[in-house]
Amino acid sequence: MLIAVLLLTVLALLLAYRFYGRFLERRLEVDDARPTPAVVENDGVDYVPTSPFVLFGHHFSSIAGAGPIVGPIVAASAFGWGPAWLWVFLGAIFVGGVHDFGSTIVSLRHRGRSIIEAFRELVGPRAGRVMFAFVFLAMIYVIVVFLDLTASAFVATPGVATASGWFILVALAFGLAVRLVRWPHWVTVTVFVALTYLGLALGYFFPAPALSKEFWICVILIYCFIAAVVPVNVLLQPRDFLSATFLYAIMVLGLIGVLVRGGEFTMPVYKGFESESLGLLVPFLFITVACGACSGFHSMVCSGTTSKQLRRETDARKVAYGGMLVEALLATFAIACVAVAGGMGDNAVTAFSRGAAIFFSALGIPSEVGVIFASLAVSTFLLTTLDTCTRLGRFLVEEFTGFSGPASRYGVTLAVVVACGFLVVQKYTSMQGVVMPAWQALWPLFGATNQMLAALALVTLAVFLRSRRIPFLFAAVPAVIMVAMPMAALAIMAVDPKLDFLQRGASVLQLVLGTVIIGSAIRHLAVTWSDRPSVIEPS
């Protein structure tokens, strides 16, 4: 059964890329004759034309990380592997893929600006300001969460700190080698991929010394500042390109291991419509799976960093749509891992590592080595979210304020880093008297917030298509789905007696903000658009 599910998934994703991807290209009027913002505004820092081969790794690392592993495993454990798997591959093809591809193209048509800036130009400044507030607060929250999680991982597993530091050094050397050394590209890639994998061994045999969480928070913040201001092809591009090879290796070895080993699912295909841990299947399945099928965070990466590096428009299908489909394959493999690992247990990443090691063992890889490899590889991806989000935070402020240039690059980034450093150490006392990090109190809302962002991106895409008189049903249907799911989840949480006043209040606030933004967009969809251009093309 495992083999049949994985083969069906691979076949469906390949067909989707070939046929539905081409359909989306035609609908979105992709045209290589139109110069991209990376070419027009090439500044060597943020706007850098990049090979799709390199950009795919950078993009995939930024959108993936642990997301397509943890979400599908939690959902499969709560509702059964069947609903989780169906939403992963159908959602990725028809919802998440449209969301990512569409966000990228909308950004390309708006000088590489974020989906928020596109929404502001299309719908109006008032709604744009509300959307900025919603997205910027969500972005700051993501940075705070992953800052805490990364520092905690470094304390709990010092080998991850060693491996992460090594990856940064190798990435810097890789970036220099690409620009200065005249080796064939395949030789350079081979050498530095091998050096990257050496970092896992160094982390295992030479873990960092036991240091405090506060120390690691300071170190990580310094790294985030540097990563957000240096040219993208100096650190982020090479590091993410090299780091992505871990996920490629896990998927390739794992899928071959499935074919060799075979086996059956050890968990029910369907557990019921309601889960004690998550709630109702609709809407919480769609909120929990997130990155494996559709994630609002992807729209910020697609329209924030990726659109500034595409050297031609047809590369968008390879990078954005292809990246979402590969992420769905990783999510499907994660479901297979938890299915053979005997359930999730207390930790989704641990269950994934155990399951991956079982498949690796079919290829002669010792189970202990497989567990260590999978655990370290996934843990090191925490930094990819952090550095990308810090850079995205700078972009959002620059677009909203109109600031630009070196002073803005350094000043805004410093402000974002300092604000996140302040927020990460804040504590909150729950109604039960439990003292916890402040971000943890709002964690139950994160999934709904993320998916609300996806809804806003899809609504923006529908407005963009309507403004150009392009048939937009292929975007409107996913938009309706993604509006309904987080709105329903937030409404349920707003009255959930198990949540305290802060959590219910935050749910109500997000409902209000989302209603204002989506209502503004619907009003624009309902009117007849004038013939004047509503967007500014790169020139």
Side-chain angles (χ1 to χ4, degrees):
M1 187 64 176
L2 279 173
I3 294 176
V5 167
L6 286 172
L7 289 179
L8 177 59
T9 303
V10 171
L11 178 61
L13 296 178
L14 288 173
L15 291 174
Y17 180 80
R18 172 66 178 83
F19 294 103
Y20 199 60
R22 287 287 176 85
F23 164 80
L24 294 176
E25 276 191 330
R26 293 193 297 271
R27 274 288 188 264
L28 295 170
E29 299 180 345
V30 172
D31 185 2
D32 281 342
R34 184 185 293 109
T36 64
V39 173
V40 174
E41 303 190 31
N42 185 355
D43 60 6
V45 177
D46 299 319
Y47 292 84
V48 180
T50 304
S51 158
F53 176 66
V54 174
L55 183 55
F56 184 92
H58 174 41
H59 175 84
F60 186 65
S61 289
S62 297
I63 66 170
I69 293 171
V70 174
I73 286 178
V74 172
S77 299
F79 301 112
W81 67 265
W85 172 63
L86 284 172
W87 172 237
V88 162
F89 92 89
L90 290 176
I93 293 170
F94 297 109
V95 181
V98 173
H99 169 275
D100 291 16
F101 198 178
S103 297
T104 304
I105 295 300
V106 170
S107 180
L108 290 178
R109 301 288 193 276
H110 289 80
R111 309 176 304 282
R113 301 298 185 92
S114 72
I115 200 74
I116 303 171
E117 182 69 6
F119 184 86
R120 185 190 66 80
E121 292 186 14
L122 289 164
V123 177
R126 180 181 300 177
R129 286 192 293 271
V130 177
M131 187 170 178
F132 168 80
F134 182 93
V135 176
F136 183 71
L137 291 174
M139 194 65 59
I140 293 296
Y141 179 70
V142 170
I143 297 173
V144 170
V145 170
F146 279 85
L147 178 59
D148 192 292
L149 293 177
T150 305
S152 298
F154 287 0
V155 172
T157 313
V160 173
T162 300
S164 297
W166 175 259
F167 297 157
I168 292 169
L169 296 176
V170 172
L172 289 169
F174 180 51
L176 286 172
V178 169
R179 294 192 300 275
L180 302 178
V181 180
R182 298 302 179 186
W183 291 348
H185 188 64
W186 69 269
V187 173
T188 307
V189 170
T190 302
V191 169
F192 282 95
V193 166
L195 288 173
T196 302
Y197 278 72
L198 178 61
L200 295 178
L202 291 174
Y204 179 71
F205 291 109
F206 303 100
L211 298 167
S212 69
K213 182 177 178 179
E214 291 72 22
F215 171 83
W216 285 121
I217 286 175
C218 292
V219 170
I220 294 166
L221 285 172
I222 292 170
Y223 163 75
C224 288
F225 175 82
I226 295 171
V229 299
V230 300
V232 69
N233 58 349
V234 168
L235 180 55
L236 292 190
Q237 264 187 13
R239 191 179 76 81
D240 289 347
F241 173 79
L242 294 171
S243 295
T245 62
F246 289 134
L247 291 183
Y248 303 155
I250 287 173
M251 281 192 292
V252 171
L253 292 174
L255 292 174
I256 295 174
V258 172
L259 295 177
V260 172
R261 179 185 181 277
E264 296 293 331
F265 287 96
T266 58
M267 62 168 56
V269 62
Y270 178 64
K271 286 189 172 183
F273 191 78
E274 186 172 4
S275 162
E276 184 177 345
S277 59
L278 294 182
L280 300 176
L281 186 149
V282 178
F284 290 104
L285 170 74
F286 303 88
I287 301 303
T288 305
V289 171
C291 288
C294 181
S295 167
F297 177 67
H298 291 194
S299 68
M300 299 311 302
V301 175
C302 291
S303 68
T305 56
T306 300
S307 64
K308 294 178 174 65
Q309 299 170 64
L310 288 167
R311 63 184 185 185
R312 55 176 175 256
E313 286 200 351
T314 51
D315 289 345
R317 180 164 73 107
K318 302 182 183 76
V319 176
Y321 192 65
M324 183 65 252
L325 298 185
V326 173
E327 192 166 14
L329 182 59
L330 176 60
T332 303
F333 177 64
I335 294 172
C337 286
V338 72
V340 300
M344 183 178 74
D346 296 328
N347 187 284
V349 174
T350 301
F352 173 78
S353 301
R354 290 200 314 268
I358 292 172
F359 293 126
F360 295 163
S361 65
L363 305 178
I365 300 173
S367 294
E368 181 182 357
V369 174
V371 169
I372 293 170
F373 169 64
S375 299
L376 279 176
V378 173
S379 297
T380 53
F381 269 86
L382 290 170
L383 274 180
T384 65
T385 301
L386 262 177
D387 52 29
T388 298
C389 278
T390 306
R391 201 176 190 99
L392 290 172
R394 168 168 71 84
F395 290 156
L396 291 178
V397 174
E398 288 179 336
E399 290 177 3
F400 184 73
T401 61
F403 294 159
S404 61
S408 169
R409 189 162 79 247
Y410 293 102
V412 170
T413 303
L414 181 62
V416 170
V417 166
V418 170
C420 293
F422 170 77
L423 293 172
V424 77
V425 299
Q426 301 306 304
K427 302 296 182 182
Y428 173 76
T429 303
S430 69
M431 292 189 303
Q432 294 76 30
V434 178
V435 179
M436 64 183 77
W439 67 262
Q440 209 170 79
L442 296 175
W443 182 247
L445 305 179
F446 176 70
T449 303
N450 182 50
Q451 299 306 72
M452 180 65 79
L453 177 54
L456 300 179
L458 283 164
V459 168
T460 303
L461 173 61
V463 173
F464 167 80
L465 295 168
R466 179 68 179 86
S467 70
R468 290 167 171 258
R469 302 188 182 279
I470 298 173
F472 61 97
L473 189 63
F474 72 93
V477 172
V480 169
I481 294 172
M482 294 312 298
V483 167
M485 294 304 118
M487 294 286 273
L490 288 169
I492 291 171
M493 288 187 284
V495 297
D496 188 345
K498 296 192 296 294
L499 301 180
D500 64 21
F501 177 78
L502 175 65
Q503 295 165 333
R504 293 198 299 270
S507 299
V508 172
L509 176 62
Q510 291 186 64
L511 271 173
V512 172
L513 290 175
T515 301
V516 170
I517 298 167
I518 292 167
S520 299
I522 291 174
R523 284 196 298 272
H524 278 72
L525 283 173
V527 301
T528 301
W529 288 75
S530 64
D531 291 331
R532 65 179 178 81
S534 59
V535 295
I536 301 174
E537 297 281 4
S539 59

